Amino acid sequence: MPKKQRKEFQAPKGMRDLLPQDSGFWDKLIKTGEELAQDYGFQKIETPIIEDADLFIRGTGQTTDVVSKQMYFVKTAGGASLALRPEGTPGVVRAYMENGLASLPQPIKLFYFGPMFRHEQPQAGRWRQHYQFGLEVFGDSGAVLDAQIIQFCFHLFRQLGLKKINIQINSLGCPQCRPAYRRALLDYYRHRKEKVCPDCKRRLKENPLRLLDCKEEKCQPIKTQAPATVDYLCDECRKHFKEVLEFLDELELPYFLNSSLVRGLDYYTKTIFEIFWEEEGAAPGALGGGGRYDNLVKDLGGKLTPAVGVALGLDRIVELMKKEQVKISSGPNFKVFLVQLGMAGRKKCLKLFERLHQAGILAAESMSRDSIKAQMKIADKFGVKFALILGQQEALDGTVIIRDMQSGMQETVLQEKVVEELKKRFRK
Ligand code: HAM
């Protein structure tokens, strides 16, 4: 039989491993985000990464690129039609309805973190599996919450030492005022139909708002002259938007009104925004985006419940943290190094490691190495004050040698006294 060719496995296209050399940045970002979210009164929620495909088709929107072009469908053996979540919001809405969170005192403020899946063309800052940190607030229609969500984002970036952040903001209105805007937009584009790209011709038929999303060079002059949503807002939506901007002014947060901003998801009402890094080209695309979605809970089968949220793209923020050389923790602060020799010494060292840990003395070690010389070399690299040496003899005597790494002085002490001895020396 011919020999089977050996296959070299690779991560699926557009997906990757998050490696130890970057974990300090990821840890810092997630920890800072989670702590800050809790300080702002948010509680953690986790939802499955696979949901009923219809949840996204009806929630995110059938004609959105995210659903129509980028969603990973999963067929189960039982025939259920599921999908890998392309975004977090519909799953959190489902969890809010399914778990009776609507009957608790409102607003309910939730945060989450996890992978999302979009079958996009991979490029810098764009992955088929990417990670988001999201906030969602349910049960309050006040403009102050829109502003608070944006404030959280700025606060988080500031806390990470990333200061050159600004936002683009717009209002999409509500089902009352959107039809008039839609008509004006359609009217405007119908007269220019021959001049736009094929994608825009399709958008004109399927989802006119998305015309404003077009990145084609030839559509730009038409897009910039197009009617603006803010000119068609009803009184309530105009008042809401004005209040959001007043709160942002009060907080002195830098924002730009962008009348072309529509966002790529169908559920938004009123406020929408995207967060950018100020230096052009330094970060590919938005670092985050969000907005109000006052009808989504109802559209997915719940009661009419106002809601607002945001999701931050962690992959892009980590890249930025690396580029801006954000300081991260240098890892555990080792105080001593454990050097062992022989089976008996190694056994005692394993035990001693745990005792030291319980006493709050972090010990570095290289348990698998045999030679004392090699271990002492590593101890030197760690820059610890003391090495604890445990060989065959010490294991038998119940002792351990404490070696001062600077002076080279050594002293033998009883194993049960070593924690006390070390504490004394550290105090000095
Ligand atoms: P989104 O704008 O689609 O919003 O995604 C949020 C962020 O995720 C983007 O601003 C971007 O930083 C990041 N992102 C999206 N796709 C990719 C990708 N392929 N590779 C790397 N990063 C990516 C949402 O998903 C909404 N659920 C946000 C929201 C929450 N609205 C209300 N609540």
Side-chain angles (χ1 to χ4, degrees):
M1 245 178 36
K3 245 191 174 173
K4 245 193 182 172
Q5 227 187 342
R6 249 184 81 204
K7 187 172 173 181
E8 279 190 29
F9 291 108
Q10 287 182 333
K13 186 174 170 192
M15 303 192 182
R16 63 183 166 150
D17 307 301
L18 304 179
L19 296 170
Q21 69 245 31
D22 287 345
S23 68
F25 293 101
W26 284 92
D27 289 350
K28 176 162 180 157
L29 176 53
I30 293 158
K31 189 163 177 276
T32 312
E34 293 201 343
E35 282 174 4
L36 195 63
Q38 276 159 355
D39 293 349
Y40 272 68
F42 287 81
Q43 291 177 296
K44 190 168 183 170
I45 186 162
E46 267 185 56
T47 61
I49 58 165
I50 301 186
E51 298 267 4
D52 188 326
D54 274 342
L55 181 68
F56 303 111
I57 294 170
R58 274 172 53 194
T60 312
Q62 183 145 32
T63 59
T64 60
D65 283 356
V66 169
V67 169
S68 66
K69 296 186 186 162
Q70 301 164 359
M71 201 151 78
Y72 284 87
F73 285 90
V74 181
K75 266 261 176 275
T76 67
S81 187
L82 305 178
L84 291 185
R85 64 180 179 196
E87 57 138 342
T89 309
V92 177
V93 170
R94 180 206 42 73
Y96 172 81
M97 298 188 299
E98 187 176 337
N99 298 290
L101 300 184
S103 55
L104 300 176
Q106 309 287 301
I108 298 279
K109 298 166 99 179
L110 304 171
F111 74 90
Y112 55 90
F113 148 74
M116 308 292 158
F117 303 85
R118 296 182 187 181
H119 193 267
E120 296 190 78
Q121 199 48 44
Q123 52 175 258
R126 198 197 278 164
W127 298 91
R128 287 184 176 173
Q129 175 174 340
H130 72 277
Y131 292 81
Q132 290 187 5
F133 184 90
L135 303 180
E136 313 289 355
V137 181
F138 296 96
D140 196 309
S141 58
V144 68
L145 282 167
D146 309 25
Q148 206 185 22
I149 292 261
I150 294 170
Q151 180 188 27
F152 168 90
C153 298
F154 274 88
H155 198 154
L156 175 63
F157 282 113
R158 231 181 286 132
Q159 205 141 315
L160 293 168
L162 299 170
K163 299 207 177 83
K164 289 180 260 170
I165 295 291
N166 65 49
I167 56 166
Q168 298 189 3
I169 190 164
N170 195 14
S171 174
L172 286 182
C174 66
Q176 267 70 50
C177 47
R178 189 127 9 118
Y181 174 69
R182 215 180 111 98
R183 274 196 302 277
L185 191 67
L186 278 174
D187 203 38
Y188 172 84
Y189 267 94
R190 262 194 215 113
H191 288 99
R192 292 155 182 85
K193 203 161 67 187
E194 300 318 319
K195 295 191 187 138
V196 296
C197 69
D199 252 355
C200 278
K201 288 197 177 97
R202 182 182 51 81
R203 291 181 181 119
L204 198 51
K205 279 197 209 123
E206 290 176 4
N207 199 340
L209 263 191
R210 206 87 339 110
L211 285 161
L212 301 177
D213 247 354
C214 183
K215 305 280 182 295
E216 273 295 318
E217 193 77 34
K218 76 180 220 181
C219 300
Q220 298 313 301
I222 301 170
K223 194 174 103 173
T224 42
Q225 298 295 317
T229 49
V230 282
D231 293 332
Y232 291 79
L233 298 181
C234 61
D235 288 349
E236 192 201 315
C237 289
R238 188 169 314 117
K239 179 169 170 279
H240 185 96
F241 195 42
K242 189 167 160 274
E243 282 177 10
V244 174
L245 300 185
E246 279 172 12
F247 286 126
L248 297 184
D249 287 337
E250 181 66 30
L251 292 166
E252 295 180 38
L253 298 179
Y255 63 83
F256 292 94
L257 293 175
N258 177 355
S259 60
S260 306
L261 186 69
V262 283
R263 307 267 299 128
L265 316 167
D266 266 1
Y267 44 69
Y268 290 114
T269 51
K270 296 184 176 164
T271 320
I272 51 165
F273 60 89
E274 284 193 338
I275 302 165
F276 291 91
W277 187 243
E278 250 173 27
E279 275 167 42
E280 214 168 298
L287 298 174
R292 196 158 261 292
Y293 49 99
D294 289 343
N295 295 317
L296 184 59
V297 178
K298 182 164 170 278
D299 289 346
L300 291 175
K303 281 200 195 126
L304 186 63
T305 309
V308 59
V310 67
L312 299 170
L314 301 189
D315 307 68
R316 293 177 186 179
I317 300 174
V318 164
E319 278 315 302
L320 207 54
M321 287 169 77
K322 282 161 66 180
K323 196 170 156 280
E324 295 293 304
Q325 296 174 359
V326 167
K327 281 215 170 62
I328 53 170
S329 135
S330 51
N333 188 6
F334 292 116
K335 295 278 192 242
V336 296
F337 191 93
L338 287 179
V339 179
Q340 39 68 37
L341 194 67
M343 190 59 178
R346 198 169 275 160
K347 278 184 187 162
K348 294 288 176 204
C349 256
L350 272 181
K351 249 183 152 169
L352 186 55
F353 176 88
E354 211 176 310
R355 263 189 57 215
L356 290 169
H357 195 269
Q358 272 167 2
I361 302 171
L362 286 192
E365 43 73 29
S366 185
M367 291 287 180
S368 59
R369 266 176 229 264
D370 292 327
S371 123
I372 288 210
K373 208 168 147 207
Q375 293 181 68
M376 291 307 284
K377 243 187 174 169
I378 303 172
D380 252 347
K381 276 197 197 137
F382 274 106
V384 291
K385 250 180 127 149
F386 303 106
L388 303 183
I389 306 167
L390 239 158
Q392 206 77 358
Q393 193 57 52
E394 287 74 26
L396 272 176
D397 297 348
T399 58
V400 57
I401 299 168
I402 302 181
R403 180 188 170 91
D404 186 311
M405 292 297 285
Q406 221 165 27
S407 66
M409 298 261 283
Q410 297 197 163
E411 192 186 341
T412 303
V413 300
L414 285 172
Q415 279 169 30
E416 67 240 33
K417 290 266 163 65
V418 71
V419 167
E420 211 176 298
E421 276 297 325
L422 283 171
K423 282 191 172 164
K424 228 190 277 167
R425 281 160 207 244
F426 283 127
R427 267 200 298 274
K428 274 190 209 153

